[in-house]
Amino acid sequence: MDPLALVEAFGAAWADHDLPLAMSFLSDDCVFDATGPAPDGTRHVGHEAIREAWTAIFDDAASRFEPEETFAAGDRVIQLWRYNWDGGHVRGVDVFKVRGDRITEKLSYVKG
């Protein structure tokens, strides 16, 4: 799977609130840099830490993840998105790094 298709499939798992499927796209040593707390966010490394960070997001059935634009440059994929929840939303961007058929980095940033 090419990097762009991999990240789009990963985004579909987010949109479906399917945490096990989303996790299946990550390498064992994947790095996720969260958007908060400001100013630098929190770094999570590996499946256990990332699953813990994402569980509440995936459990919120009222929330919606909507990709706005996704494009690739080599092993990097950039995705602009909007995340909606009951009472609000935030827009942001993820910078992914792909190695083989797995995401190895997901660095997340939001408009602040």
Side-chain angles (χ1 to χ4, degrees):
M1 185 179 299
D2 73 277
L4 185 60
L6 178 69
V7 169
E8 288 175 338
F10 172 79
W14 269 81
D16 291 341
H17 296 266
D18 190 337
L19 183 56
L21 181 58
M23 296 298 299
S24 76
F25 293 103
L26 307 181
S27 66
D28 291 339
D29 60 347
C30 185
V31 173
F32 165 57
D33 274 352
T35 59
D40 295 320
T42 302
R43 179 169 281 225
H44 306 274
V45 180
H47 280 220
E48 184 177 326
I50 294 171
R51 182 178 288 106
E52 184 177 320
W54 290 351
T55 295
I57 297 167
F58 279 78
D59 285 348
D60 181 1
S63 67
R64 291 182 327 278
F65 171 78
E66 300 171 0
E68 295 178 333
E69 182 178 1
T70 308
F71 54 93
D75 66 351
R76 294 285 183 171
V77 178
I78 310 302
Q79 186 170 66
L80 286 70
W81 46 261
R82 180 178 165 127
Y83 182 72
N84 303 283
W85 64 89
D86 188 25
H89 76 274
V90 65
R91 292 182 66 224
V93 62
D94 284 344
V95 179
F96 293 89
K97 186 171 186 177
V98 175
R99 183 177 63 233
D101 63 349
R102 295 288 183 263
I103 295 167
T104 61
E105 289 181 345
K106 181 182 183 292
L107 312 177
S108 298
Y109 304 90
V110 296
K111 294 179 74 78

Short mmCIF file of all heavy atoms in Angstrom, two decimals, residues 54-111:
data_model
loop_
_atom_site.label_atom_id
_atom_site.label_comp_id
_atom_site.label_asym_id
_atom_site.label_seq_id
_atom_site.Cartn_x
_atom_site.Cartn_y
_atom_site.Cartn_z
N TRP A 54 -5.59 7.45 22.88
CA TRP A 54 -6.69 7.57 21.92
C TRP A 54 -8.01 7.00 22.40
O TRP A 54 -9.06 7.29 21.80
CB TRP A 54 -6.31 6.88 20.61
CG TRP A 54 -5.25 7.58 19.83
CD1 TRP A 54 -4.72 8.81 20.07
CD2 TRP A 54 -4.59 7.08 18.66
NE1 TRP A 54 -3.77 9.12 19.12
CE2 TRP A 54 -3.67 8.06 18.25
CE3 TRP A 54 -4.69 5.90 17.94
CZ2 TRP A 54 -2.86 7.89 17.14
CZ3 TRP A 54 -3.88 5.74 16.83
CH2 TRP A 54 -2.99 6.72 16.44
N THR A 55 -8.04 6.21 23.44
CA THR A 55 -9.26 5.51 23.84
C THR A 55 -10.44 6.46 24.05
O THR A 55 -11.54 6.23 23.54
CB THR A 55 -9.02 4.64 25.08
OG1 THR A 55 -8.09 3.60 24.72
CG2 THR A 55 -10.29 4.01 25.58
N ALA A 56 -10.24 7.54 24.79
CA ALA A 56 -11.36 8.46 25.06
C ALA A 56 -11.88 9.11 23.78
O ALA A 56 -13.09 9.32 23.62
CB ALA A 56 -10.92 9.53 26.05
N ILE A 57 -10.99 9.40 22.84
CA ILE A 57 -11.40 10.01 21.57
C ILE A 57 -12.27 9.03 20.79
O ILE A 57 -13.33 9.39 20.28
CB ILE A 57 -10.15 10.41 20.75
CG1 ILE A 57 -9.34 11.47 21.49
CG2 ILE A 57 -10.55 10.89 19.36
CD1 ILE A 57 -7.95 11.69 20.92
N PHE A 58 -11.81 7.79 20.69
CA PHE A 58 -12.56 6.78 19.93
C PHE A 58 -13.87 6.41 20.62
O PHE A 58 -14.84 6.05 19.95
CB PHE A 58 -11.70 5.54 19.70
CG PHE A 58 -10.75 5.68 18.55
CD1 PHE A 58 -9.57 6.40 18.68
CD2 PHE A 58 -11.03 5.10 17.33
CE1 PHE A 58 -8.70 6.53 17.61
CE2 PHE A 58 -10.17 5.22 16.25
CZ PHE A 58 -8.99 5.94 16.39
N ASP A 59 -13.91 6.50 21.94
CA ASP A 59 -15.12 6.16 22.69
C ASP A 59 -16.21 7.23 22.59
O ASP A 59 -17.35 6.96 22.92
CB ASP A 59 -14.80 5.90 24.17
CG ASP A 59 -14.11 4.57 24.41
OD1 ASP A 59 -14.08 3.73 23.48
OD2 ASP A 59 -13.61 4.37 25.53
N ASP A 60 -15.86 8.43 22.17
CA ASP A 60 -16.82 9.52 22.05
C ASP A 60 -17.58 9.39 20.73
O ASP A 60 -17.15 9.90 19.69
CB ASP A 60 -16.11 10.87 22.12
CG ASP A 60 -17.06 12.04 22.03
OD1 ASP A 60 -18.29 11.84 21.93
OD2 ASP A 60 -16.56 13.19 22.06
N ALA A 61 -18.71 8.71 20.77
CA ALA A 61 -19.49 8.42 19.56
C ALA A 61 -20.03 9.68 18.89
O ALA A 61 -20.36 9.67 17.71
CB ALA A 61 -20.64 7.47 19.89
N ALA A 62 -20.13 10.79 19.63
CA ALA A 62 -20.64 12.04 19.06
C ALA A 62 -19.58 12.79 18.26
O ALA A 62 -19.91 13.71 17.52
CB ALA A 62 -21.18 12.94 20.17
N SER A 63 -18.32 12.40 18.39
CA SER A 63 -17.26 13.10 17.68
C SER A 63 -17.13 12.61 16.25
O SER A 63 -17.50 11.48 15.93
CB SER A 63 -15.94 12.94 18.43
OG SER A 63 -15.51 11.59 18.37
N ARG A 64 -16.59 13.50 15.39
CA ARG A 64 -16.39 13.15 13.98
C ARG A 64 -15.04 13.68 13.51
O ARG A 64 -14.70 14.84 13.74
CB ARG A 64 -17.48 13.76 13.11
CG ARG A 64 -18.84 13.17 13.30
CD ARG A 64 -19.90 13.77 12.37
NE ARG A 64 -19.74 15.18 12.02
CZ ARG A 64 -20.12 16.21 12.76
NH1 ARG A 64 -20.66 16.00 13.95
NH2 ARG A 64 -19.98 17.44 12.34
N PHE A 65 -14.29 12.82 12.85
CA PHE A 65 -13.03 13.19 12.24
C PHE A 65 -13.27 13.36 10.74
O PHE A 65 -13.78 12.45 10.09
CB PHE A 65 -11.99 12.10 12.49
CG PHE A 65 -10.72 12.30 11.73
CD1 PHE A 65 -9.77 13.22 12.14
CD2 PHE A 65 -10.47 11.56 10.58
CE1 PHE A 65 -8.61 13.41 11.43
CE2 PHE A 65 -9.31 11.74 9.86
CZ PHE A 65 -8.38 12.66 10.28
N GLU A 66 -12.92 14.54 10.21
CA GLU A 66 -13.17 14.82 8.80
C GLU A 66 -11.89 15.30 8.12
O GLU A 66 -11.45 16.43 8.35
CB GLU A 66 -14.25 15.89 8.65
CG GLU A 66 -15.58 15.51 9.26
CD GLU A 66 -16.56 16.67 9.28
OE1 GLU A 66 -16.23 17.79 8.83
OE2 GLU A 66 -17.68 16.46 9.78
N PRO A 67 -11.27 14.46 7.29
CA PRO A 67 -10.11 14.93 6.52
C PRO A 67 -10.54 16.03 5.56
O PRO A 67 -11.60 15.94 4.94
CB PRO A 67 -9.63 13.69 5.76
CG PRO A 67 -10.35 12.54 6.34
CD PRO A 67 -11.58 13.06 7.02
N GLU A 68 -9.72 17.07 5.44
CA GLU A 68 -10.01 18.16 4.50
C GLU A 68 -9.15 18.04 3.25
O GLU A 68 -9.60 18.33 2.15
CB GLU A 68 -9.80 19.51 5.18
CG GLU A 68 -10.78 19.76 6.30
CD GLU A 68 -10.56 21.08 7.00
OE1 GLU A 68 -9.40 21.60 7.02
OE2 GLU A 68 -11.54 21.61 7.55
N GLU A 69 -7.88 17.65 3.43
CA GLU A 69 -6.98 17.49 2.30
C GLU A 69 -5.84 16.58 2.75
O GLU A 69 -5.35 16.71 3.87
CB GLU A 69 -6.42 18.84 1.85
CG GLU A 69 -5.51 18.76 0.66
CD GLU A 69 -4.99 20.11 0.20
OE1 GLU A 69 -5.31 21.15 0.81
OE2 GLU A 69 -4.24 20.11 -0.79
N THR A 70 -5.44 15.67 1.88
CA THR A 70 -4.35 14.75 2.20
C THR A 70 -3.45 14.65 0.98
O THR A 70 -3.92 14.48 -0.13
CB THR A 70 -4.91 13.35 2.54
OG1 THR A 70 -5.92 13.48 3.55
CG2 THR A 70 -3.83 12.43 3.04
N PHE A 71 -2.13 14.79 1.21
CA PHE A 71 -1.18 14.67 0.10
C PHE A 71 0.12 14.08 0.62
O PHE A 71 0.40 14.12 1.81
CB PHE A 71 -0.96 16.02 -0.60
CG PHE A 71 -0.53 17.13 0.31
CD1 PHE A 71 0.81 17.42 0.53
CD2 PHE A 71 -1.49 17.90 0.96
CE1 PHE A 71 1.19 18.46 1.37
CE2 PHE A 71 -1.12 18.95 1.81
CZ PHE A 71 0.23 19.22 2.01
N ALA A 72 0.90 13.51 -0.31
CA ALA A 72 2.12 12.79 0.06
C ALA A 72 3.33 13.39 -0.64
O ALA A 72 3.21 13.95 -1.74
CB ALA A 72 1.99 11.32 -0.29
N ALA A 73 4.47 13.23 0.00
CA ALA A 73 5.77 13.58 -0.57
C ALA A 73 6.74 12.50 -0.08
O ALA A 73 7.20 12.55 1.07
CB ALA A 73 6.22 14.96 -0.12
N GLY A 74 6.98 11.50 -0.91
CA GLY A 74 7.86 10.40 -0.51
C GLY A 74 7.21 9.60 0.60
O GLY A 74 6.07 9.17 0.49
N ASP A 75 7.95 9.44 1.71
CA ASP A 75 7.44 8.66 2.85
C ASP A 75 6.67 9.52 3.85
O ASP A 75 6.29 9.06 4.92
CB ASP A 75 8.56 7.90 3.56
CG ASP A 75 9.57 8.81 4.24
OD1 ASP A 75 9.53 10.05 4.04
OD2 ASP A 75 10.42 8.29 4.97
N ARG A 76 6.42 10.78 3.52
CA ARG A 76 5.66 11.68 4.38
C ARG A 76 4.27 11.92 3.79
O ARG A 76 4.11 12.07 2.58
CB ARG A 76 6.36 13.04 4.52
CG ARG A 76 7.67 12.99 5.25
CD ARG A 76 7.46 12.81 6.71
NE ARG A 76 8.72 12.84 7.42
CZ ARG A 76 8.83 12.88 8.72
NH1 ARG A 76 7.75 12.91 9.48
NH2 ARG A 76 10.00 12.88 9.30
N VAL A 77 3.28 11.97 4.67
CA VAL A 77 1.92 12.30 4.27
C VAL A 77 1.43 13.42 5.18
O VAL A 77 1.61 13.36 6.41
CB VAL A 77 0.98 11.08 4.37
CG1 VAL A 77 -0.45 11.46 4.00
CG2 VAL A 77 1.48 9.95 3.48
N ILE A 78 0.85 14.43 4.59
CA ILE A 78 0.30 15.57 5.32
C ILE A 78 -1.21 15.51 5.20
O ILE A 78 -1.74 15.34 4.10
CB ILE A 78 0.80 16.91 4.75
CG1 ILE A 78 2.32 16.92 4.58
CG2 ILE A 78 0.29 18.08 5.59
CD1 ILE A 78 3.11 16.66 5.83
N GLN A 79 -1.89 15.64 6.32
CA GLN A 79 -3.35 15.61 6.30
C GLN A 79 -3.91 16.78 7.10
O GLN A 79 -3.64 16.91 8.29
CB GLN A 79 -3.87 14.30 6.87
CG GLN A 79 -5.37 14.14 6.74
CD GLN A 79 -5.82 12.75 7.07
OE1 GLN A 79 -5.71 12.32 8.21
NE2 GLN A 79 -6.33 12.03 6.08
N LEU A 80 -4.66 17.65 6.42
CA LEU A 80 -5.41 18.71 7.09
C LEU A 80 -6.76 18.14 7.46
O LEU A 80 -7.35 17.39 6.68
CB LEU A 80 -5.58 19.91 6.16
CG LEU A 80 -4.34 20.76 5.92
CD1 LEU A 80 -3.31 20.03 5.09
CD2 LEU A 80 -4.72 22.07 5.27
N TRP A 81 -7.24 18.46 8.66
CA TRP A 81 -8.47 17.84 9.15
C TRP A 81 -9.26 18.79 10.03
O TRP A 81 -8.76 19.82 10.48
CB TRP A 81 -8.16 16.55 9.92
CG TRP A 81 -7.05 16.65 10.91
CD1 TRP A 81 -5.75 16.26 10.74
CD2 TRP A 81 -7.10 17.17 12.25
NE1 TRP A 81 -5.00 16.50 11.86
CE2 TRP A 81 -5.81 17.05 12.81
CE3 TRP A 81 -8.11 17.72 13.03
CZ2 TRP A 81 -5.51 17.48 14.11
CZ3 TRP A 81 -7.83 18.15 14.33
CH2 TRP A 81 -6.52 18.01 14.85
N ARG A 82 -10.48 18.37 10.30
CA ARG A 82 -11.36 19.03 11.26
C ARG A 82 -11.89 17.93 12.17
O ARG A 82 -12.34 16.89 11.70
CB ARG A 82 -12.51 19.72 10.54
CG ARG A 82 -13.47 20.41 11.49
CD ARG A 82 -14.57 21.11 10.71
NE ARG A 82 -15.66 21.47 11.58
CZ ARG A 82 -16.17 22.68 11.68
NH1 ARG A 82 -15.70 23.67 10.96
NH2 ARG A 82 -17.17 22.91 12.51
N TYR A 83 -11.84 18.18 13.48
CA TYR A 83 -12.35 17.23 14.45
C TYR A 83 -13.49 17.91 15.19
O TYR A 83 -13.33 18.98 15.78
CB TYR A 83 -11.24 16.81 15.42
CG TYR A 83 -11.70 15.79 16.43
CD1 TYR A 83 -11.96 14.48 16.04
CD2 TYR A 83 -11.90 16.15 17.76
CE1 TYR A 83 -12.41 13.55 16.96
CE2 TYR A 83 -12.34 15.21 18.68
CZ TYR A 83 -12.59 13.92 18.27
OH TYR A 83 -13.03 13.00 19.18
N ASN A 84 -14.69 17.32 15.10
CA ASN A 84 -15.90 17.88 15.69
C ASN A 84 -16.34 17.03 16.88
O ASN A 84 -16.27 15.80 16.81
CB ASN A 84 -17.03 17.87 14.66
CG ASN A 84 -16.68 18.62 13.42
OD1 ASN A 84 -16.71 19.84 13.40
ND2 ASN A 84 -16.33 17.89 12.36
N TRP A 85 -16.83 17.67 17.92
CA TRP A 85 -17.42 16.97 19.05
C TRP A 85 -18.62 17.78 19.51
O TRP A 85 -18.86 18.89 19.02
CB TRP A 85 -16.40 16.78 20.18
CG TRP A 85 -15.92 18.06 20.78
CD1 TRP A 85 -16.46 18.75 21.82
CD2 TRP A 85 -14.79 18.83 20.36
NE1 TRP A 85 -15.76 19.90 22.08
CE2 TRP A 85 -14.71 19.97 21.19
CE3 TRP A 85 -13.84 18.69 19.36
CZ2 TRP A 85 -13.72 20.94 21.05
CZ3 TRP A 85 -12.86 19.65 19.22
CH2 TRP A 85 -12.82 20.75 20.06
N ASP A 86 -19.40 17.22 20.39
CA ASP A 86 -20.60 17.89 20.88
C ASP A 86 -20.20 19.22 21.52
O ASP A 86 -19.57 19.24 22.56
CB ASP A 86 -21.32 17.00 21.89
CG ASP A 86 -22.67 17.56 22.29
OD1 ASP A 86 -23.25 18.33 21.50
OD2 ASP A 86 -23.14 17.23 23.39
N GLY A 87 -20.53 20.32 20.86
CA GLY A 87 -20.25 21.64 21.41
C GLY A 87 -19.03 22.32 20.85
O GLY A 87 -18.70 23.42 21.28
N GLY A 88 -18.33 21.73 19.88
CA GLY A 88 -17.17 22.42 19.36
C GLY A 88 -16.44 21.67 18.27
O GLY A 88 -16.83 20.60 17.84
N HIS A 89 -15.35 22.29 17.82
CA HIS A 89 -14.50 21.66 16.83
C HIS A 89 -13.11 22.29 16.90
O HIS A 89 -12.91 23.34 17.52
CB HIS A 89 -15.08 21.81 15.42
CG HIS A 89 -14.90 23.17 14.84
ND1 HIS A 89 -15.77 24.20 15.07
CD2 HIS A 89 -13.93 23.67 14.05
CE1 HIS A 89 -15.34 25.29 14.44
NE2 HIS A 89 -14.22 24.99 13.81
N VAL A 90 -12.17 21.61 16.26
CA VAL A 90 -10.82 22.13 16.12
C VAL A 90 -10.32 21.72 14.75
O VAL A 90 -10.71 20.67 14.22
CB VAL A 90 -9.88 21.62 17.25
CG1 VAL A 90 -9.69 20.11 17.17
CG2 VAL A 90 -8.56 22.33 17.25
N ARG A 91 -9.51 22.55 14.14
CA ARG A 91 -8.89 22.21 12.86
C ARG A 91 -7.40 22.02 13.10
O ARG A 91 -6.81 22.68 13.95
CB ARG A 91 -9.12 23.32 11.84
CG ARG A 91 -10.60 23.40 11.47
CD ARG A 91 -10.89 24.45 10.42
NE ARG A 91 -10.25 24.08 9.18
CZ ARG A 91 -9.58 24.95 8.41
NH1 ARG A 91 -9.44 26.21 8.79
NH2 ARG A 91 -9.04 24.55 7.29
N GLY A 92 -6.82 21.10 12.34
CA GLY A 92 -5.41 20.83 12.54
C GLY A 92 -4.78 20.14 11.36
O GLY A 92 -5.38 20.01 10.28
N VAL A 93 -3.56 19.70 11.59
CA VAL A 93 -2.79 19.01 10.56
C VAL A 93 -1.99 17.90 11.23
O VAL A 93 -1.51 18.06 12.36
CB VAL A 93 -1.88 19.98 9.79
CG1 VAL A 93 -0.86 20.64 10.71
CG2 VAL A 93 -1.20 19.31 8.63
N ASP A 94 -1.88 16.77 10.54
CA ASP A 94 -1.03 15.67 10.98
C ASP A 94 0.08 15.50 9.95
O ASP A 94 -0.16 15.58 8.74
CB ASP A 94 -1.80 14.36 11.08
CG ASP A 94 -2.68 14.27 12.31
OD1 ASP A 94 -2.49 15.06 13.24
OD2 ASP A 94 -3.56 13.39 12.33
N VAL A 95 1.28 15.26 10.45
CA VAL A 95 2.42 14.93 9.61
C VAL A 95 2.77 13.48 9.92
O VAL A 95 3.16 13.16 11.04
CB VAL A 95 3.62 15.86 9.90
CG1 VAL A 95 4.80 15.48 9.02
CG2 VAL A 95 3.23 17.32 9.70
N PHE A 96 2.57 12.62 8.94
CA PHE A 96 2.81 11.19 9.09
C PHE A 96 4.13 10.81 8.43
O PHE A 96 4.51 11.40 7.42
CB PHE A 96 1.73 10.37 8.38
CG PHE A 96 0.36 10.48 8.96
CD1 PHE A 96 -0.52 11.46 8.53
CD2 PHE A 96 -0.08 9.57 9.90
CE1 PHE A 96 -1.80 11.55 9.04
CE2 PHE A 96 -1.37 9.64 10.42
CZ PHE A 96 -2.22 10.64 9.99
N LYS A 97 4.77 9.80 8.99
CA LYS A 97 5.91 9.15 8.33
C LYS A 97 5.52 7.68 8.17
O LYS A 97 5.03 7.06 9.11
CB LYS A 97 7.19 9.28 9.13
CG LYS A 97 8.39 8.72 8.39
CD LYS A 97 9.68 9.05 9.11
CE LYS A 97 10.85 8.60 8.26
NZ LYS A 97 12.12 8.96 8.91
N VAL A 98 5.74 7.15 6.97
CA VAL A 98 5.37 5.77 6.65
C VAL A 98 6.63 4.99 6.30
O VAL A 98 7.48 5.48 5.54
CB VAL A 98 4.36 5.74 5.49
CG1 VAL A 98 4.06 4.32 5.06
CG2 VAL A 98 3.07 6.47 5.88
N ARG A 99 6.72 3.80 6.87
CA ARG A 99 7.80 2.87 6.53
C ARG A 99 7.16 1.55 6.15
O ARG A 99 6.46 0.94 6.96
CB ARG A 99 8.75 2.70 7.72
CG ARG A 99 9.95 1.80 7.42
CD ARG A 99 10.91 1.71 8.61
NE ARG A 99 10.25 1.10 9.76
CZ ARG A 99 10.21 1.63 10.98
NH1 ARG A 99 10.78 2.79 11.23
NH2 ARG A 99 9.60 1.00 11.96
N GLY A 100 7.36 1.14 4.89
CA GLY A 100 6.73 -0.09 4.42
C GLY A 100 5.23 0.06 4.44
O GLY A 100 4.68 0.99 3.84
N ASP A 101 4.56 -0.83 5.18
CA ASP A 101 3.09 -0.79 5.25
C ASP A 101 2.58 -0.33 6.60
O ASP A 101 1.47 -0.67 7.00
CB ASP A 101 2.51 -2.15 4.88
CG ASP A 101 2.91 -3.26 5.86
OD1 ASP A 101 3.80 -3.01 6.70
OD2 ASP A 101 2.34 -4.34 5.79
N ARG A 102 3.40 0.47 7.32
CA ARG A 102 3.00 0.93 8.65
C ARG A 102 3.31 2.42 8.83
O ARG A 102 4.28 2.94 8.29
CB ARG A 102 3.72 0.16 9.76
CG ARG A 102 3.38 -1.31 9.85
CD ARG A 102 1.97 -1.49 10.41
NE ARG A 102 1.63 -2.88 10.58
CZ ARG A 102 0.93 -3.60 9.71
NH1 ARG A 102 0.52 -3.08 8.60
NH2 ARG A 102 0.64 -4.86 9.97
N ILE A 103 2.50 3.08 9.63
CA ILE A 103 2.74 4.45 10.04
C ILE A 103 3.72 4.40 11.21
O ILE A 103 3.49 3.70 12.19
CB ILE A 103 1.42 5.13 10.47
CG1 ILE A 103 0.49 5.25 9.26
CG2 ILE A 103 1.69 6.49 11.12
CD1 ILE A 103 -0.94 5.61 9.62
N THR A 104 4.83 5.16 11.10
CA THR A 104 5.84 5.16 12.16
C THR A 104 5.82 6.44 12.98
O THR A 104 6.35 6.47 14.08
CB THR A 104 7.25 4.96 11.58
OG1 THR A 104 7.56 6.02 10.68
CG2 THR A 104 7.36 3.61 10.87
N GLU A 105 5.19 7.50 12.44
CA GLU A 105 5.05 8.76 13.18
C GLU A 105 3.73 9.42 12.81
O GLU A 105 3.32 9.38 11.65
CB GLU A 105 6.15 9.77 12.82
CG GLU A 105 7.50 9.46 13.33
CD GLU A 105 8.51 10.54 12.94
OE1 GLU A 105 8.23 11.38 12.06
OE2 GLU A 105 9.60 10.52 13.53
N LYS A 106 3.10 10.01 13.82
CA LYS A 106 1.90 10.84 13.63
C LYS A 106 2.10 12.05 14.52
O LYS A 106 1.91 11.99 15.74
CB LYS A 106 0.63 10.09 14.00
CG LYS A 106 -0.65 10.90 13.79
CD LYS A 106 -1.87 10.10 14.23
CE LYS A 106 -3.18 10.79 13.98
NZ LYS A 106 -3.37 11.98 14.83
N LEU A 107 2.54 13.13 13.90
CA LEU A 107 2.80 14.37 14.64
C LEU A 107 1.61 15.29 14.41
O LEU A 107 1.33 15.68 13.26
CB LEU A 107 4.10 15.02 14.14
CG LEU A 107 5.30 14.08 14.04
CD1 LEU A 107 6.51 14.81 13.47
CD2 LEU A 107 5.63 13.44 15.38
N SER A 108 0.89 15.65 15.46
CA SER A 108 -0.37 16.39 15.34
C SER A 108 -0.23 17.83 15.82
O SER A 108 0.39 18.08 16.87
CB SER A 108 -1.46 15.69 16.16
OG SER A 108 -1.69 14.41 15.65
N TYR A 109 -0.84 18.74 15.07
CA TYR A 109 -0.80 20.17 15.39
C TYR A 109 -2.20 20.73 15.19
O TYR A 109 -2.93 20.29 14.30
CB TYR A 109 0.17 20.90 14.45
CG TYR A 109 1.56 20.33 14.50
CD1 TYR A 109 1.94 19.30 13.64
CD2 TYR A 109 2.50 20.78 15.42
CE1 TYR A 109 3.21 18.75 13.68
CE2 TYR A 109 3.78 20.23 15.48
CZ TYR A 109 4.12 19.22 14.59
OH TYR A 109 5.37 18.67 14.64
N VAL A 110 -2.59 21.71 16.01
CA VAL A 110 -3.90 22.36 15.87
C VAL A 110 -3.75 23.86 15.75
O VAL A 110 -2.75 24.44 16.20
CB VAL A 110 -4.86 22.04 17.04
CG1 VAL A 110 -5.19 20.57 17.09
CG2 VAL A 110 -4.31 22.52 18.35
N LYS A 111 -4.77 24.48 15.14
CA LYS A 111 -4.82 25.94 15.09
C LYS A 111 -5.15 26.41 16.51
O LYS A 111 -6.10 25.93 17.11
CB LYS A 111 -5.89 26.39 14.11
CG LYS A 111 -5.56 26.01 12.67
CD LYS A 111 -6.62 26.44 11.72
CE LYS A 111 -6.64 27.91 11.46
NZ LYS A 111 -5.66 28.45 10.56
#
